[in-house]
Amino acid sequence: MNLNYEFANGWKVIKEMNNMENAFEYSKEYIDFLNKSKTERLCAREIIRQASSQGFISIEEAIKKGKIECGDKIFADNKDKGVALFVIGEKDIEEGMKIIASHIDSPRLDLKQNPLYEDDNLAYFKTHYYGGIKKYQWVSMPLALYGVVILHDGTKIDIAIGDDEDDPVFCINDLLPHLSSEQNQKKLHEAIGGEDLNVLIGSIPVDEKEKDAVKYNMLKLLNEKYNMTEEDFLSAEIEVVPAGKARDLGIDKSMVISYGQDDRVCAFAGVKAIFETEKPQYTAVTLCVDKEETGSYGNTGMHSKFFENTVAELINLQGNYSDLKIKRAMSKSRVLSGDVNAAYDPNFSSAYEKANSAHMGKGVAIMKYSGSRGKSGTSDANAEFVCEVRRIFNKENIVWQTGELGKVDQGGGGTVAYILANYGAEVLDCGVGLLSMHAPYEVSSKADIFEMYRGYKAFFNINL
């Protein structure tokens, strides 16, 4: 009996299991998903499109049918920003569910409600950053605009500028090094301020205007393309994200570099896993929510009643409805909180405790606790549930490891885990390590993302 344990190298195991082709094919699908899902709205739309093609019906259609049974596939849309996918199990939902919960929002810049202004014959958009970013990373790089505008008559217009081949891109100016002696003396987080993140959008004036002629030209062009006026910015949600597509990284193409992998990498794995789940013992759920990067508040965040209300509708379709059944279903559920982890980075090794960090290429990472410093804000998974997940992964030869978010006093962060744990559910954070997390472009290992998908699928289908 070997008493020592060392986490395996994912690539070695993938080769031994003849899974190299499958791993690279999975990453190809994932990259395509990322390129179609640069905002939470686009991500929700793409998930629903794929789910519909896999035979899922809407919760509204299920209600019209009047009943559900084992094997039924149902999706619920939360205001175009979140999705819940269900495959109904053999047991009543009251007996608990197996849930993979992830978020589909990512750090970004949002246009302010009154964003457009002109200064020195240049037109700009004012922004307010969303989520935890390093502001200096967003300057001097190509940017794209995505979102929706609701016109005064209620018409919804989709905005997408910056990623098509013939599209222009946008940028935020930085100060040239020749003039930045004062800027260089500032702390890194102070060098670029929140009010400095103004997006350059144009410079040609219109002839018929003497004042703010460039601004007016921008409005004229937007009106010609989208039929919008300046007032329509008040009822718009327009996001600034990095321009450019997800790509293979490395001479060996072993990694993925892309915007928004936190946390669409886990969302995609959960979606893919549930598509390959048929008639499970316990109802399988892939839950994709919004607003995690800002605390999970609002009617599309995990704190909302969307998921609970949807579960109530499904329990009602199983007959003999009661609020008690909802409480039982939630408290008896087992959840993998699918969110990313901080992969050990040799370039910044002092921020990590190496033995307890997730490492690139060593598989899906389970994180018993998150939080800051003294585990503040964590749900801290029970040892019994950690062991259950561990046994499932080992049974299916999933390459897995453990991780935590840096050194104890370095900083920290949280996930949606504690919110579902508040119902009494068993919850464990389980995702992949990223390099450059929350940067405009993040890096993942194809070995890790493939093993995460395999692990999620095993969680849905294996019962101990």
Side-chain angles (χ1 to χ4, degrees), residues 104-305:
I104 54 176
D105 61 316
S106 295
R108 61 178 189 259
L109 309 178
D110 289 339
L111 294 198
K112 291 189 176 185
Q113 285 197 283
N114 292 299
L116 182 58
Y117 74 99
E118 178 180 336
D119 192 348
D120 198 37
N121 300 311
L122 297 173
Y124 293 91
F125 279 144
K126 291 180 177 290
T127 70
H128 194 305
Y129 62 91
Y130 174 99
I133 69 168
K134 290 182 174 180
K135 296 183 283 293
Y136 71 86
Q137 294 178 331
W138 287 76
V139 300
S140 300
M141 66 177 300
L143 300 170
L145 300 178
Y146 283 93
V148 297
V149 177
I150 312 301
L151 304 182
H152 70 281
D153 62 358
T155 303
K156 180 187 287 188
I157 304 293
D158 287 326
I159 302 289
I161 312 172
D163 274 328
D164 283 348
E165 188 173 332
D166 296 326
D167 278 355
V169 294
F170 311 93
C171 75
I172 297 168
N173 311 332
D174 195 6
L175 187 60
L176 61 161
H178 312 68
L179 302 177
S180 63
S181 59
E182 290 185 13
Q183 184 189 52
N184 292 341
Q185 302 306 311
K186 295 180 178 180
K187 293 180 179 180
L188 199 61
H189 72 278
E190 297 172 343
I192 301 293
E195 293 293 350
D196 298 329
L197 297 173
N198 302 310
V199 180
L200 181 61
I201 65 166
S203 62
I204 298 176
V206 291
D207 295 334
E208 62 267 28
K209 283 276 184 179
E210 292 185 7
K211 183 181 179 182
D212 291 339
V214 178
K215 173 185 172 181
Y216 190 83
N217 192 35
M218 299 304 103
L219 288 170
K220 185 177 179 181
L221 293 170
L222 289 169
N223 182 261
E224 289 172 357
K225 186 168 184 178
Y226 299 112
N227 200 33
M228 66 180 293
T229 66
E230 187 169 16
E231 185 180 344
D232 292 322
F233 280 113
L234 299 175
S235 53
E237 293 178 0
I238 301 177
E239 302 175 11
V240 182
V241 300
K245 297 184 180 298
R247 302 284 298 274
D248 293 330
L249 177 67
I251 295 173
D252 55 3
K253 298 183 178 182
S254 62
M255 292 165 283
V256 175
I257 183 168
S258 175
Y259 167 71
Q261 296 199 72
D262 178 7
D263 184 34
R264 293 169 197 141
V265 64
C266 298
F268 179 73
V271 168
K272 180 82 170 171
I274 203 168
F275 286 169
E276 298 177 11
T277 298
E278 303 282 343
K279 296 185 176 181
Q281 185 175 353
Y282 294 92
T283 292
V285 184
T286 292
L287 178 59
C288 302
V289 298
D290 183 28
K291 297 290 193 293
E292 191 274 345
E293 298 293 358
T294 55
S296 296
Y297 299 105
N299 59 9
T300 57
M302 193 65 241
H303 279 298
S304 77
K305 297 294 184 182

